[in-house]
Amino acid sequence: MDKLQIEGGTALQGKIRVSGAKNAALPILAGALLTADPVTISNSPHLQDVTTMIELLASLGVEVTLNENMQVEIVAATLSSFRAPYELVKTMRASFLVLGPLLARFGEAEVSLPGGCAIGSRPVDQHIKGLEALGAEIVVTDGYVRARAPGRLIGCDIHMDVVTVGGTQNLLMAATLAAGTTRLYNAACEPETVDLANFVNALGAKISGQGTSTIEIEGVERLHGGTHRIMPDRVEAGTYLVAAAVTGGSVHLRDVAPQTLGAVLDKLQQAGAHIDVGDDWIALDMQGRRAKAVDIETSPYPGFPTDMQAQFMTLNALSEGTSTITENIFENRFMHVHEMKRLGAEIELHGHSMAVVHGVGELRAAPVMATDLRASSSLVLAALAATGTTTIDRIYHIDRGYETIEEKLGQMGAKVRRIS
Ligand code: EPZ
């Protein structure tokens, strides 16, 4: 099993290109099932999760190729299966996103229930409730969601009980081919959902209101082919900004979408970072200063993202002062705390949703273990700032979400090595 070995203590400095967003690529690849015509996707990141989604599409009988410009070409003309098996869904929950498109286009889908997850129970009740409202007949047996829609789905008003990114995406895709108009209330406003809506609109869908809490989808009979460029990854960008901040260094990010990082940039500024922003770049300079502690409370977009909570825990662990971190989206997203304490962080957990972080002057190297994607990245950041050489085990978690992380950190002067 691969590990990362990181010799900490260098103030990172450099320029990095931000990759395409994993959490936009996954629903968009699933969305390619909505049309029989060719679809071309550019700026897709090379990540394990993207490979898993491509494998899932291929297992359904979809033709997926990588062209000479590294774009993904997808033709979902005829399918040989409508089943997403447990073996794939258990390795990546986003596989559940094929449910809406399969049902809408073929009237049939059988998708494994995702089950539990390291960061929380993550039910899919809102996906199922919404699809039923659109007229699908759904039976959940033997760990599978078996859905049928004899004839087209029928557009309707859907009020979601919680703001769910995946639920909004599944329902948005299903409604594009429904008869009549669907309105999704309490919809997720996350930029990745906007990117998905823009992609489906490029194929001829009629979606408006994406990026707001009410999305309107006027169903069409069919979609055509098209091209789409995946938006930049705001969590990858945020992670490298914190890498520079926590080591007292500086970074210049290019191919980034600064407008999607508002809450994160605000907190970095509060922590004492100097930030400059252009259309598609962000420069952060800590000017050698130690960060000031900042309180964090996660909430749906445009609030502070849960996917950046762990990284800010690292920043606060080394900051001047005491801070509170409140996690409101997932009930078990503090797994990194126990590992950070091994490095000398002083953090108290109050139940499942609140942590009090007392900033310390120094973290010291120790062997630690990655437990999920963002928890792993927070440990990488901690190791970069710690004194000595830290080994991080179970690094496969990080490969799900960070393209060529050693290379990118290396471009900032970090001493990182992958060992087996
Ligand atoms: C997406 O997960 C992201 N994944 C997650 O990124 C991200 O943390 C999360 O949104 C929140 O921003 C992808 O985009 C592939 P949700 P998703 O449905 O869609 C509850 C990362 O590190 N809920 O918005 O699964 C749920 O339990 C990952 O890149 C229900 O109760 O998240 C959670 O508490 C991890 N019923 C909350 O809503 C439902 O039917 C938000 O979950 C669905 C969700």
Side-chain angles (χ1 to χ4, degrees):
M1 214 178 278
D2 281 3
K3 299 180 174 114
L4 279 187
Q5 212 170 53
I6 300 179
E7 190 186 327
T10 309
L12 299 187
Q13 271 184 347
K15 290 189 173 184
I16 290 185
R17 178 190 174 269
V18 174
S19 299
K22 166 182 84 83
N23 288 348
L26 297 175
I28 285 171
L29 289 169
L33 286 166
L34 287 165
T35 175
D37 296 341
V39 166
T40 304
I41 310 290
S42 61
N43 203 33
S44 182
H46 301 132
L47 295 169
Q48 187 52 50
D49 274 10
V50 171
T51 306
T52 306
M53 183 58 90
I54 288 175
E55 272 171 25
L56 172 55
L57 294 181
S59 78
L60 301 173
V62 175
E63 284 173 39
V64 189
T65 46
L66 204 59
N67 72 19
E68 65 281 6
N69 300 321
M70 299 303 279
Q71 297 164 329
V72 185
E73 289 182 350
I74 303 169
V75 186
T78 47
L79 263 64
S80 50
S81 163
F82 305 110
R83 182 180 161 92
Y86 177 60
E87 291 66 40
L88 283 176
V89 181
K90 77 172 181 203
T91 60
M92 188 188 68
R93 301 177 62 82
S95 311
F96 200 69
L97 293 172
V98 298
L99 178 60
L102 282 178
L103 188 60
R105 184 158 153 234
F106 302 98
E108 178 176 358
E110 196 175 307
V111 179
S112 169
L113 273 175
C117 169
I119 62 176
S121 59
R122 302 181 77 179
V124 287
D125 56 306
Q126 299 302 310
H127 303 233
I128 292 174
K129 187 184 102 172
L131 292 173
E132 281 175 338
L134 289 167
E137 294 162 8
I138 298 188
V139 183
V140 182
T141 48
D142 310 324
Y144 277 80
V145 176
R146 297 174 212 275
R148 286 176 53 79
R152 281 171 82 185
L153 294 169
I154 315 274
C156 66
D157 286 357
I158 300 174
H159 297 262
M160 282 175 279
D161 300 331
V162 292
V163 178
T164 152
V165 173
T168 301
Q169 294 170 343
N170 236 336
L171 298 178
L172 178 153
M173 291 190 277
T176 54
L177 294 177
T181 299
T182 300
R183 272 178 222 93
L184 300 178
Y185 294 101
N186 200 24
C189 304
E190 269 65 6
E192 294 76 13
T193 298
V194 176
D195 208 31
L196 171 67
N198 293 345
F199 160 66
V200 193
N201 276 346
L203 307 184
K206 294 187 176 161
I207 303 175
S208 57
Q210 60 270 35
T212 75
S213 59
T214 306
I215 302 179
E216 188 170 292
I217 304 124
E218 200 184 316
V220 296
E221 270 187 42
R222 63 179 299 277
L223 296 179
H224 50 69
T227 60
H228 184 76
R229 182 175 172 82
I230 306 270
M231 64 172 280
D233 196 314
R234 64 192 167 107
V235 184
E236 189 202 25
T239 303
Y240 289 119
L241 291 172
V242 177
V246 79
T247 59
S250 65
V251 67
H252 185 287
L253 300 178
R254 64 184 171 89
D255 289 353
V256 64
Q259 70 280 9
T260 63
L261 277 142
V264 169
L265 296 182
D266 266 11
K267 288 292 171 190
L268 285 167
Q269 263 164 341
Q270 274 179 41
H274 183 269
I275 293 177
D276 280 327
V277 165
D279 282 350
D280 61 354
W281 59 266
I282 302 174
L284 176 145
D285 193 346
M286 219 46 206
Q287 293 159 340
R289 282 193 303 269
R290 181 180 177 198
K292 293 192 281 278
V294 286
D295 291 336
I296 299 290
E297 180 157 1
T298 64
S299 60
Y301 191 86
F304 188 91
T306 175
D307 291 345
M308 284 299 301
Q309 177 258 108
Q311 299 88 320
F312 269 74
M313 179 87 77
T314 303
L315 186 63
N316 279 337
L318 279 159
S319 292
E320 205 179 307
T322 294
S323 58
T324 308
I325 298 196
T326 312
E327 171 57 54
N328 292 315
I329 308 294
F330 293 111
E331 67 270 23
N332 191 29
R333 218 175 190 185
F334 281 144
M335 300 279 276
H336 43 285
V337 168
H338 310 289
E339 299 301 304
M340 269 184 212
K341 283 179 159 182
R342 294 175 49 74
L343 299 170
E346 287 181 17
I347 305 170
E348 294 157 32
L349 281 179
H350 295 261
H352 292 295
S353 61
M354 196 202 268
V356 175
V357 187
H358 304 282
V360 293
E362 185 193 53
L363 294 179
R364 286 173 309 281
V368 288
M369 197 172 72
T371 49
D372 73 76
L373 171 55
R374 307 305 170 187
S376 328
S377 65
S378 72
L379 296 175
V380 169
L381 299 177
L384 289 167
T387 318
T389 301
T390 298
T391 306
I392 307 174
D393 202 352
R394 302 205 180 163
I395 208 66
Y396 57 85
H397 287 293
I398 215 160
D399 294 330
R400 298 183 58 173
Y402 293 88
E403 189 174 45
T404 58
I405 188 163
E406 304 103 287
E407 257 175 57
K408 290 191 179 188
L409 287 172
Q411 284 163 22
M412 295 171 77
K415 294 173 187 143
V416 183
R417 229 159 47 95
R418 186 177 287 254
I419 53 172
S420 322

